[in-house]
C-alpha cells in the first residue's frame, strides 16, 4: 500500500515539474487523504502488535 502511495506521489510531483496539466480534484485529494489516514492506522496497529510481541518474547527468555 505504501509503495502505491509513493508511486502516486511521484507521478503527481513529476507533473508539477514537467508542466503537466493534470491537477487532482478536491474529491481526489480528500480520497487520498482518507487512504493515508487508513494506512497510518493500519501501520500503528501493526507496530503496536509487533512491539507487544517483542516485549513478551523478551520476558519469556526466548
Amino acid at each position: 500500500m505504501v509503495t502505491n502511495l509513493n508511486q502516486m506521489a511521484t507521478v503527481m510531483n513529476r507533473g508539477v515539474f514537467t508542466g503537466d496539466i493534470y491537477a487532482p480534484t478536491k474529491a481526489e485529494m480528500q480520497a487520498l487523504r482518507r487512504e493515508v489516514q487508513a494506512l497510518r492506522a493500519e501501520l500503528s496497529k501493526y507496530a503496536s502488535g509487533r512491539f507487544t510481541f517483542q516485549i513478551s518474547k523478551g520476558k519469556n527468555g526466548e
Side-chain angles (χ1 to χ4, degrees):
M1 288 187 280
V2 173
T3 300
N4 289 344
L5 181 61
N6 188 42
Q7 289 173 346
M8 287 187 291
T10 299
V11 169
M12 290 172 72
N13 285 335
R14 188 177 303 135
V16 169
F17 296 123
T18 61
D20 190 6
I21 60 171
Y22 172 74
T25 65
K26 183 177 181 179
E28 289 173 319
M29 293 304 294
Q30 288 173 336
L32 185 58
R33 181 183 211 166
R34 286 189 299 272
E35 290 295 324
V36 169
Q37 288 172 340
L39 287 171
R40 285 181 175 166
E42 288 298 317
L43 179 59
S44 179
K45 282 195 269 184
Y46 171 78
S48 174
R50 183 70 183 149
F51 179 72
T52 301
F53 172 76
Q54 289 174 335
I55 295 299
S56 67
K57 189 175 180 181
K59 288 180 181 178
N60 294 333
E62 296 178 7

